[in-house]
């Protein structure tokens, strides 16, 4: 890939057509265009509206529990013997992950637009739970599309969604994972355009979703920046986050993009290795293509058919990535690396035993990269990692793999 | 394509546009189906290009695409279908219909050159709205290939001019919001919608999504310049296959019989309108 010229700012995108370089855009059926344009109008108004901002901040503080803590992982740091490791503890948010930040923002928009029904797609179920939660909070019916495979491996979250009053519709097409759930949610939206708001869970899809979701998630990086300055008096040397669609990652990265001395690393799901098809490393092993409303890096064959990825983590099991990440890769601002299933699993156990924090399998990928890098860094250096979700939903999957009997 | 619409209009009836999925259930059978369509009364052929993630299609067309992909169908082989068809039939317009990614990966310029060479007359690319015209629509028009756009009930008068701006060949009115193959709406609503679109353009307006029987074709044909049938054909093919999805002796004749019926429907349409 040719390196593109360095822009004046890495935070200026997207342009008015929703593009980050060649990535992004609005590749949707005509039926959806008027809705997407309406959403863009409403979003432009809302983001400059002090009432909207106040409402968002109020719910952030009193419903989500913001700001989330910045935590110095003392024992993990000592164990690895290198850089000081800090976690941005998004797993302590209401519903257990960063997903709620975006859901609160979008449901406020849905209400402003007069929509009466919410649909969402989910992989690990974290976004489904967050969507079902805000739908309950605002009294709107909610349908969550979830791949049948994921329904099985994320059973606790399915139960939570149902308790919250959402209807969970299992999707059997394809491999029954996140990609298939997103196709089905788009079909629902095309059919129910007038009443329905599609609450996309990641920083991908047609413009304005990638920008909007990023802006709702950027609170993570904004808080972390203030918190690390308060704790250490300086910015971190390295910021790390796991990337599936990439909303938690863009949320923590974005406020640091123009800080030249901060190195930024996104961790993709390497699955069982990049040699075969059993991974979800869209950037490190994919190529640019068009899917789900945007141009981005995709796992695909030579005919442009989309492949089914694999990851131990349902939340990373998506053959694409948000368009801003694709651009940040091509301009060389962020480095993207793969972490294998077994490495994530080891990191999961390390954190659980050393810090008494059970992480979700998604941030366990980021953690595995921290485990690799921290020992090679100086003791005066600082790593900031987004601990984007808690692992309660994964304990059965992990227990099964580790052979922990009843 | 303009010629075909003009010729059919001179006969005083609407055009019958037929969609099927290239490569479903296999290459040779779909070639036989394609060759049978005009003989049974189809005026324009929409040749589906299979895609792994058809976001705007219902279960029938999704499954047809999966069958085709499983049988090894690709964009290159779909162009080959058109090329083979053209050796026998130089007149029936061929419109490729699908999603953008296979074309993008094939390479836009290479694709357009090969499509012209294969005798393709038009394109319908579901996920390329007017906002994305620089991608494929403008380059296609420069090569003399029509770019046919979908208009929907959500395409209001404010948006119609934008949708129609670079549209050529015909306008494909999707008669309901929703995925392909859903239930048919009220005929009087369709007549109103066709009149609304015609007030913005001189292009023929074809109506699709939901046309299953000769009676549907007759009713819609009373107000539209053309009737598009897709899901019904795909369902007819699917119902003729073995459990493993293989072709049977009933596959091609089944499609022929269906098209003959629909063709009688469109031929009765203007008679109905005059009543």
């Amino acid at each position: 890939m040719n390196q593109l010229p360095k822009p004046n700012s890495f935070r200026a995108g997207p342009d008015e057509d929703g593009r980050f370089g060649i990535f992004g855009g609005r590749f949707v059926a005509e039926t959806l265009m008027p809705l997407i344009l309406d959403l863009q109008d409403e979003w432009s108004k809302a983001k400059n509206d002090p009432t909207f901002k106040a409402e968002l901040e109020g719910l952030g503080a009193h419903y989500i529990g913001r700001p989330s803590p910045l935590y110095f992982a003392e024992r993990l740091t000592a164990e690895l013997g290198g850089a000081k490791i800090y976690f941005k503890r998004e797993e302590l948010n209401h519903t257990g992950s960063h997903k709620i930040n975006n859901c609160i923002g979008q449901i406020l928009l849905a209400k402003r637009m007069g929509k009466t029904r919410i649909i969402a797609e989910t992989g690990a179920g974290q976004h489904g739970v967050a969507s079902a939660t805000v739908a309950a909070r605002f009294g709107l019916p909610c349908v969550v599309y979830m791949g049948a495979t994921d329904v099985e491996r994320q059973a606790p979250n399915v139960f939570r969604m149902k308790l919250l009053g959402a209807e969970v519709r299992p999707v059997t097409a394809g491999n029954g994972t996140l990609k298939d759930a997103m196709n089905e949610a788009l079909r629902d939206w095309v059919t129910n355009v007038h009443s329905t708001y599609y609450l996309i869970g990641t920083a991908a899809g047609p413009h304005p979703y990638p920008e909007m979701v990023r802006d709702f998630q950027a609170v993570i990086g904004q808080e972390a920046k203030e918190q690390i300055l308060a704790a250490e008096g300086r910015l971190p040397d390295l910021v790390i986050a796991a990337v599936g669609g990439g909303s938690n990652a863009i949320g923590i990265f974005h406020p640091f993009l123009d800080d030249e001395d901060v190195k930024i690393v996104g961790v993709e799901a390497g699955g069982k290795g990049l040699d075969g098809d059993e991974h979800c490393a869209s950037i490190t092993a994919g190529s640019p293509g068009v899917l789900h409303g945007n141009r981005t890096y995709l796992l695909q064959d030579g005919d442009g058919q989309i492949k089914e990825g694999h990851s131990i983590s349902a939340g990373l099991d998506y053959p694409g990535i948000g368009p801003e990440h694709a651009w940040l890769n091509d301009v060389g601002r962020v480095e993207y690396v793969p972490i294998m299933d077994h490495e994530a699993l080891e990191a999961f156990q390390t954190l659980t035993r050393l810090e008494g924090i059970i992480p979700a399998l998604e941030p366990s990928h980021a953690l595995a990269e921290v485990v690799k890098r921290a020992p090679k860094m100086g003791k005066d250096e600082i790593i900031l990692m987004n601990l984007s979700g808690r692992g309660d939903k994964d304990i059965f999957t992990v227990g099964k793999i580790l052979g922990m009997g009843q | 394509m303009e010629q075909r619409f003009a010729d059919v209009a001179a006969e005083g009836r609407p055009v019958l546009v037929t969609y099927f999925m290239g490569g479903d259930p296999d290459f040779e059978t779909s070639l036989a189906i394609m060759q049978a369509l005009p003989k049974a009364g189809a005026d324009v052929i929409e040749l589906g290009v299979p895609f792994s993630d058809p976001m705007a299609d219902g279960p029938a067309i999704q499954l047809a695409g999966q069958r085709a992909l499983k049988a090894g169908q690709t964009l290159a082989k779909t162009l080959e279908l058109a090329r083979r068809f053209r050796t026998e039939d130089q007149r029936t317009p061929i419109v490729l219909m699908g999603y953008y990614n296979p074309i993008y990966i094939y390479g836009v310029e290479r694709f357009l050159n090969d499509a012209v060479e294969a005798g393709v007359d038009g394109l319908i690319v579901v996920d390329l709205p007017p906002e994305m015209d620089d991608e494929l629509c403008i380059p296609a028009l420069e090569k003399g290939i029509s770019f046919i756009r979908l208009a929907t009930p959500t395409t209001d008068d404010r948006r119609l001019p934008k949708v129609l701006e670079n549209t050529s060949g015909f306008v494909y009115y999707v008669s309901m919001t929703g995925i392909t193959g859903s239930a048919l709406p009220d005929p009087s609503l369709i007549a109103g919608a066709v009149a609304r679109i015609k007030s913005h353009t001189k292009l023929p307006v074809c109506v699709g999504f939901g046309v299953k029987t000769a009676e549907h074709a007759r009713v819609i044909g009373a107000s539209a310049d053309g009737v598009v049938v897709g899901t019904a054909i795909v369902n007819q093919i699917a119902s003729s296959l073995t459990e493993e999805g293989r072709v049977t002796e009933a596959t091609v004749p089944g499609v022929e019989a269906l098209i003959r019926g629909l063709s009688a429907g469109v031929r009765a349409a203007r008679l109905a309108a005059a009543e």
Side-chain angles (χ1 to χ4, degrees):
Chain A
M1 187 57 63
N2 293 331
Q3 198 84 340
L4 298 169
K6 185 176 172 289
N8 293 328
S9 168
F10 290 101
R11 303 179 62 205
D15 68 15
E16 59 180 20
D17 295 319
R19 292 183 190 266
F20 302 90
I22 67 160
F23 299 106
R26 284 178 289 218
F27 296 89
V28 296
E30 178 55 33
T31 327
L32 296 181
M33 271 314 296
L35 279 94
I36 284 173
L37 294 173
D38 283 352
L39 177 60
Q40 195 178 326
D41 278 353
E42 195 64 42
W43 166 235
S44 321
K45 283 182 216 148
K47 68 180 168 188
N48 298 314
D49 177 354
T51 318
F52 183 79
K53 200 164 172 251
E55 213 172 350
L56 196 60
E57 283 175 1
L59 286 159
H62 305 293
Y63 192 67
I64 301 177
R66 304 214 66 89
S68 66
L70 182 77
Y71 171 72
F72 172 50
E74 197 177 346
R75 292 194 69 215
L76 182 68
T77 299
E79 173 80 12
L80 297 175
K84 292 177 82 170
I85 299 159
Y86 281 86
F87 293 135
K88 179 61 174 165
R89 300 216 37 204
E90 289 295 301
E91 103 282 10
L92 293 177
N93 292 343
H94 180 41
T95 73
S97 82
H98 69 290
K99 293 291 187 188
I100 190 86
N101 302 328
N102 167 49
C103 287
I104 284 285
Q106 286 199 51
I107 204 153
L108 289 176
L109 269 181
K111 291 292 269 191
R112 282 174 71 110
M113 295 175 79
K115 300 294 178 183
T116 54
R117 176 176 178 264
I118 301 294
I119 58 170
E121 84 295 335
T122 197
Q126 295 298 85
H127 174 59
V129 167
S131 299
T133 299
V134 299
R137 166 67 181 75
F138 287 89
L140 294 176
C142 177
V143 172
V144 180
Y145 290 92
M146 188 170 188
T149 307
D150 292 338
V151 167
E152 198 173 317
R153 62 177 163 172
Q154 303 289 338
N157 273 345
V158 174
F159 189 49
R160 289 166 78 195
M161 285 183 264
K162 288 182 178 169
L163 284 172
L164 288 159
E167 181 191 342
V168 180
R169 292 193 189 160
V171 178
T172 52
N175 266 10
T177 58
L178 184 53
K179 161 177 97 96
D180 312 299
M182 199 150 179
N183 288 335
E184 215 51 46
L186 282 163
R187 287 190 189 106
D188 181 315
W189 201 24
V190 169
T191 311
N192 300 294
V193 281
H194 296 295
S195 64
T196 299
Y197 183 91
Y198 181 16
L199 211 172
I200 294 185
T202 193
H207 179 60
Y209 282 100
E211 176 198 321
M212 188 171 73
V213 176
R214 175 198 73 200
D215 288 353
F216 288 136
Q217 293 294 2
V219 67
I220 302 171
Q222 287 151 8
E223 287 175 6
K225 205 168 184 176
E226 283 174 24
Q227 289 166 319
I228 199 84
L229 286 172
E232 292 281 348
R234 70 182 188 87
L235 295 177
D237 299 282
L238 175 62
V239 177
I240 295 189
V243 187
S247 71
N248 93 81
I250 203 69
I252 197 163
F253 293 171
H254 198 257
F256 291 100
L257 288 176
D258 284 335
D259 298 308
E260 276 185 30
D261 296 334
V262 178
K263 189 172 167 51
I264 304 179
V265 172
V267 182
E268 298 194 292
K272 294 177 183 170
L274 301 192
D275 295 338
D277 285 341
E278 291 193 89
H279 61 81
C280 282
S282 316
I283 285 187
T284 37
S287 57
V290 173
L291 178 71
H292 293 156
N294 57 178
R295 178 164 26 227
T296 189
Y297 278 91
L298 300 172
L299 301 179
Q300 56 187 329
D301 68 16
D303 185 40
Q305 307 297 334
I306 310 304
K307 291 185 186 175
E308 301 281 352
H310 160 84
S311 170
I312 189 175
S313 141
L316 302 181
D317 209 341
Y318 180 69
I321 187 166
E324 193 164 8
H325 287 293
W327 177 75
L328 288 169
N329 175 71
D330 280 16
V331 295
R333 177 61 185 99
V334 178
E335 181 189 357
Y336 294 85
V337 297
I339 280 288
M340 310 303 140
D341 284 351
H342 69 89
E343 296 172 310
L345 205 55
E346 272 170 41
F348 174 99
Q349 296 171 80
T350 303
L351 190 66
T352 305
R353 301 250 169 109
L354 282 177
E355 297 285 351
I357 298 172
I358 302 180
L361 283 170
E362 292 79 17
S364 296
H365 286 71
L367 191 65
E369 189 62 22
V370 169
V371 170
K372 282 184 182 177
R373 291 188 187 233
K376 297 176 196 157
M377 294 169 68
K379 289 189 184 206
D380 55 343
E381 292 189 277
I382 300 166
I383 298 176
L384 167 66
M385 190 199 102
N386 195 4
L387 188 45
S388 56
R390 60 178 172 243
D392 306 37
K393 68 187 177 63
D394 294 315
I395 55 175
F396 300 107
T397 305
V398 172
K400 206 165 146 190
I401 295 168
L402 298 180
M404 290 177 171
Q406 315 300 326
Chain B
M1 189 133 47
E2 288 75 13
Q3 190 59 48
R4 175 55 58 103
F5 273 90
D7 291 349
V8 173
E11 288 178 34
R13 64 169 178 92
V15 170
L16 179 59
V17 182
T18 52
Y19 169 96
F20 76 108
M21 178 65 77
D24 172 32
D26 60 69
F27 182 89
E28 291 300 332
T29 305
S30 69
L31 178 60
I33 290 169
M34 192 172 180
Q35 288 164 339
L37 291 172
K39 290 170 191 159
D43 301 302
V44 175
I45 293 177
E46 281 181 15
L47 171 55
V49 182
F51 182 49
S52 51
D53 294 79
M55 283 93 66
D57 286 304
I61 291 177
Q62 285 179 57
L63 288 171
Q66 286 171 18
R67 286 193 298 271
L69 289 173
K70 202 176 158 200
Q73 190 70 7
T74 58
L75 177 56
K77 286 186 182 172
T78 311
L79 288 167
E80 179 60 19
L81 264 179
R83 199 176 293 122
R84 293 268 296 274
F85 175 85
R86 274 281 173 259
T87 61
E88 286 188 10
D89 182 330
Q90 285 82 47
R91 295 178 52 86
T92 306
I94 302 174
V95 176
L96 287 190
M97 180 166 182
Y99 294 79
Y100 184 43
N101 198 50
I103 296 170
Y104 178 67
I105 296 305
Y106 194 94
V108 167
E109 193 173 343
R110 177 178 161 229
F111 166 75
L112 289 173
N113 289 335
D114 290 358
V116 168
E117 190 265 324
V120 169
D121 302 278
L123 302 174
I124 300 176
V125 183
V126 179
D127 52 353
L128 285 179
E131 280 73 5
M132 298 280 123
D133 272 356
D134 290 343
E135 295 279 336
L136 180 65
C137 173
I138 305 291
L141 295 177
E142 283 168 2
K143 299 267 183 190
I145 294 185
S146 298
F147 202 85
I148 293 138
R149 198 97 60 186
L150 272 64
T152 76
T154 59
T155 315
D156 57 20
D157 284 327
R158 211 166 23 124
R159 186 157 171 81
L160 255 177
K162 175 125 188 147
V163 169
L164 296 170
E165 193 183 353
N166 291 317
T167 300
S168 57
F170 61 90
V171 180
Y172 186 172
Y173 180 69
V174 180
S175 63
M176 71 205 70
T177 56
I179 53 177
T180 51
S182 319
L184 192 72
D186 182 351
S188 63
L189 289 178
I190 293 174
V194 170
R196 185 166 69 86
I197 295 169
K198 284 179 128 355
S199 72
H200 288 270
T201 181
K202 291 194 171 72
L203 289 169
V205 178
C206 298
V207 175
F209 283 44
V211 180
K212 288 192 176 59
T213 64
E215 177 60 13
H216 287 161
R218 190 184 68 79
V219 169
I220 289 179
S223 58
D225 299 303
V227 177
V228 187
V229 186
T231 302
I233 297 173
V234 168
N235 278 337
Q236 173 63 42
I237 294 168
S239 68
S240 75
L241 304 176
T242 66
E243 269 180 39
E244 297 79 37
R246 295 211 184 84
V247 63
T248 67
E249 285 180 357
T251 304
V252 178
V255 174
E256 282 170 337
L258 175 70
I259 301 302
R260 273 195 299 271
L262 292 164
S263 174
V266 295
R267 279 169 173 79
R270 282 302 138 94
L271 203 62
E275 274 167 11

